[in-house]
Amino acid sequence: MPETIKLWGGALCLDFANSIDWSPAGEALTPSTDALLAPRDLARWGRRLGVVSGRPPLVDDQELEAARALRLVLHRVFSALAEGRRPRRADLEALARDHAEAAGAARLAAADDGAWRLTWPASEPRAVRFAVVVDAMALLADPARLTRVRRCPGPACGWLFLDTSGRRRWCSMSTCGSRVKMRRLYARRQTDRRQ
């Protein structure tokens, strides 16, 4: 659910890509793990992360599909970078198109911290997608953070995250890391029993 899904990505765009689990081949494991099943879920997710405030905008099926398409592109781009590969040109072009659409619909507004940011009207149904793609472009433009993007090797996970410690391997040690350790322990015990 949008209100309960873990936020372990360390960046808005990575948390958005993590709104579903991924197979080792990079395929979305739908619908059982998808936090964005209906248009209202997209608005709820945006509200939880502070992308939209007040009354959530009315999101339709078309915008939900556009957001899901962005999610797939984000996962492919950042997975490729995490694995030391160059992202596909088509994926980078899709990000650029979404970013151009976001910038075209935005206005610059002063933030409380003195910075200037792109903002959209509260009624803008594309606000979540726009905020996510702007965050993705900022991450792509930040070489220090970009080199810290990792993809969780946990089975049926594939979540993306920023490894700020330099030692993090899993999206969460309490979930994927623990599961893999338990499987290894079980396999060792089975081997020991057979000997």
Side-chain angles (χ1 to χ4, degrees):
M1 290 181 56
E3 292 82 11
T4 59
I5 192 166
K6 303 296 183 192
L7 303 173
W8 292 326
L12 178 68
C13 61
L14 300 181
D15 282 329
F16 189 72
N18 296 343
S19 62
I20 194 167
D21 291 343
W22 301 91
S23 76
E27 298 163 340
L29 299 175
T30 55
S32 61
T33 68
D34 196 345
L36 305 176
L37 291 173
R40 71 181 182 286
D41 296 335
L42 182 61
R44 289 168 45 206
W45 188 91
R47 186 171 193 175
R48 176 182 179 199
L49 276 94
V51 174
V52 295
S53 58
R55 186 171 182 227
L58 294 175
V59 176
D60 61 16
D61 289 331
Q62 184 177 354
E63 180 54 27
L64 177 62
E65 288 311 309
R68 286 179 176 165
L70 173 62
R71 178 175 66 183
L72 177 60
V73 165
L74 291 172
H75 192 266
R76 286 195 305 233
V77 166
F78 288 109
S79 289
L81 293 169
E83 295 165 2
R85 294 182 290 112
R86 187 169 184 83
R88 295 173 16 182
R89 176 181 295 269
D91 289 336
L92 295 174
E93 289 170 355
L95 280 180
R97 279 191 307 274
D98 271 0
H99 187 261
E101 184 183 1
R107 63 181 176 87
L108 275 174
D112 293 338
D113 61 4
W116 289 80
R117 294 188 176 82
L118 295 178
T119 62
W120 300 272
S123 61
E124 174 58 71
R126 303 168 295 175
V128 172
R129 181 167 52 95
F130 288 170
V132 167
V133 77
V134 166
D135 184 69
M137 295 303 263
L139 180 55
L140 286 170
D142 186 340
R145 288 176 55 213
L146 193 57
T147 61
R148 295 184 171 273
V149 173
R150 305 284 185 268
R151 184 172 189 254
C152 182
C157 177
W159 278 22
L160 299 163
F161 59 91
L162 288 176
D163 177 11
T164 55
S165 70
R167 299 181 311 269
R168 188 173 164 194
R169 181 171 178 203
W170 311 99
C171 64
S172 167
M173 192 59 206
S174 64
T175 55
C176 289
S178 180
R179 286 181 200 145
V180 169
K181 285 186 172 192
M182 291 302 290
R183 285 185 182 123
R184 287 181 189 154
L185 177 63
Y186 178 77
R188 275 195 306 268
R189 287 184 178 168
Q190 293 298 86
T191 302
D192 290 345
R193 285 183 184 153
R194 288 186 211 125
Q195 294 177 356

